[in-house]
Amino acid sequence: MMSGNYHHIDNQKVSGSVPAVTDPGHIPVQFAESNLQTFPPSGAQGKISGASRPPRDADDSFSKPVNGIEEPQQPGGWLRAFSVASYKPYFDVDTVDVIERIKDSLFPFNGSFNEKTTNNPDLYGPFWICTTLIFVAASIGTFVTYVAHKVEKKEWNYDINVVTWSAGLFYGYVTLVPLALYVILKYFSAPSGLVQLFCLYGYSLFIFIPTLIFRWIVAGVAGFMSASFVALNLRAHIMSAGERWFLIVAGIFLLQLALSVVLKMYLFTVTF
């Protein structure tokens, strides 16, 4: 049946036509939970699987040091003594620590220096104290002899041996004496840390810096204070060595006092 330009198909079976689909009703659609607001996702979703990882060379390039320089591995055993990194903990101090330890060396009768530095002895302070002493001793000794020769109107020549002698005296004393004392204390079953002894003897020399400046006035006082500082700080420790502890302490005291006598005789005496 045709009406105008439109054709009307009766509701009848037509060969080859598609049957009408019945309405299945409302079907709920469920979506899996996602972690879109969390990056990266906490679950397994979104992770790169082992089969799709970046190439090994690209992955390793992020873990290598800059410019391809790898950190040197620390040697083990006795070879550590020749490694600079082994001495880093003994220079890990700040200005406050050094000043506090210098103050303790100026007040020797407290006898608490060893207890304060047991867990953190340093070599920074002793090194610079010895270096300053070498510079001050050589400078003042040279200046005194120069002035004395000019006053007497005599020819003056610079003596380089003052520098080498001062370096050998201070560096040698602060190294060899603690090393010998370390062996002695170990023999008497009263061992002490070697670095601890280096630290103690190094700071004990600080008092000689103003001594070199004011020379004749405080030479004897400085020697007595320096010797008292070392002896009193080691007394409590050495007492465990037995009845002969007093001889060890007295020897330490006299040896430290002898250092001031040598300074007085050699550096504080003008020779022509």
Side-chain angles (χ1 to χ4, degrees), residues 134 137-139 141-142 145 158-167 266-267:
I134 294 169
S139 299
T142 301
T145 55
Y158 176 72
D159 186 8
I160 191 63
N161 293 326
V162 176
V163 178
T164 55
W165 192 92
S166 299
Y266 185 83
L267 296 177

Side-chain angles (χ1 to χ4, degrees), residues 133-183:
L133 271 171
I134 294 169
F135 173 78
V136 173
S139 299
I140 293 180
T142 301
F143 178 75
V144 169
T145 55
Y146 172 79
V147 172
H149 280 76
K150 289 299 181 181
V151 170
E152 297 292 332
K153 296 182 179 180
K154 295 182 178 180
E155 184 180 358
W156 176 82
N157 295 316
Y158 176 72
D159 186 8
I160 191 63
N161 293 326
V162 176
V163 178
T164 55
W165 192 92
S166 299
L169 173 66
F170 292 116
Y171 283 145
Y173 184 86
V174 83
T175 301
L176 298 179
V177 173
L179 187 60
L181 182 59
Y182 171 79
V183 176

